Amino acid sequence: MDEQIKVGGEVDAYCTSCRLMKWHVIVAVVGDKPAKVECHGCHKQHGFRAAPPGAPKVKRVTKPRAASTPAPAPPVTNLEERLLRGESSARGYSPQDQFAVDELVRHPSFGVGLVVALPGLQRMEVAFRDGRKLLVHRRGAPPPPGTLTRPVRRHEEDVPRGATDAPPDKH
């Protein structure tokens, strides 16, 4: 069995739903060939097809993609210079803290990195020496102002009453 063809690996296959050749995650293997795959695009599972229907029967060698490929890092010289110059001024990473773009972060596992983007309200993209990572921040922060409002207080006489068979009160 080829050591690259294994459950959880990736392979180029024909998607019966998308009707295109796409990367798929291998879900089941029989012998040395993928038996069932899941499409990266539509996330549907189906039997493995090495080529689209009607294509000539050619023995295809599929090359699985690496399990996790880090995003290409920015130019190494600029990042390396910034990390070396500001290593002492880097703030310790905590998911509760808020960070800004171009701020240096000291992560316990990844080392010192530079915040390069804020793709979401509680997410930040940080460039480390070994690649970019997506980290959370502002986890303990209160929601932005204007998102929560107090309900209007009701007076006793304004409270709607449920349906009843009792005669109305005479006051």
Side-chain angles (χ1 to χ4, degrees), residues 93-99 121-123 136-144:
Y93 171 72
S94 171
Q96 287 80 24
D97 292 343
Q98 180 174 349
F99 295 91
L121 187 62
Q122 293 182 333
R123 283 180 275 186
V136 296
H137 75 126
R138 296 186 60 187
R139 275 297 159 112

Side-chain angles (χ1 to χ4, degrees), residues 4-58:
Q4 301 288 8
I5 302 295
K6 60 183 179 181
V7 174
E10 293 182 329
V11 67
D12 195 23
Y14 178 76
C15 179
T16 56
S17 223
C18 301
R19 298 185 178 161
L20 295 168
M21 290 296 291
K22 287 188 168 187
W23 280 105
H24 288 68
V25 175
I26 300 171
V27 178
V29 176
V30 174
D32 62 346
K33 295 182 181 179
K36 193 172 192 181
V37 292
E38 180 178 328
C39 178
H40 271 298
C42 65
H43 299 288
K44 292 192 178 171
Q45 292 186 3
H46 54 80
F48 172 73
R49 287 181 177 76
K57 300 285 181 183
V58 176

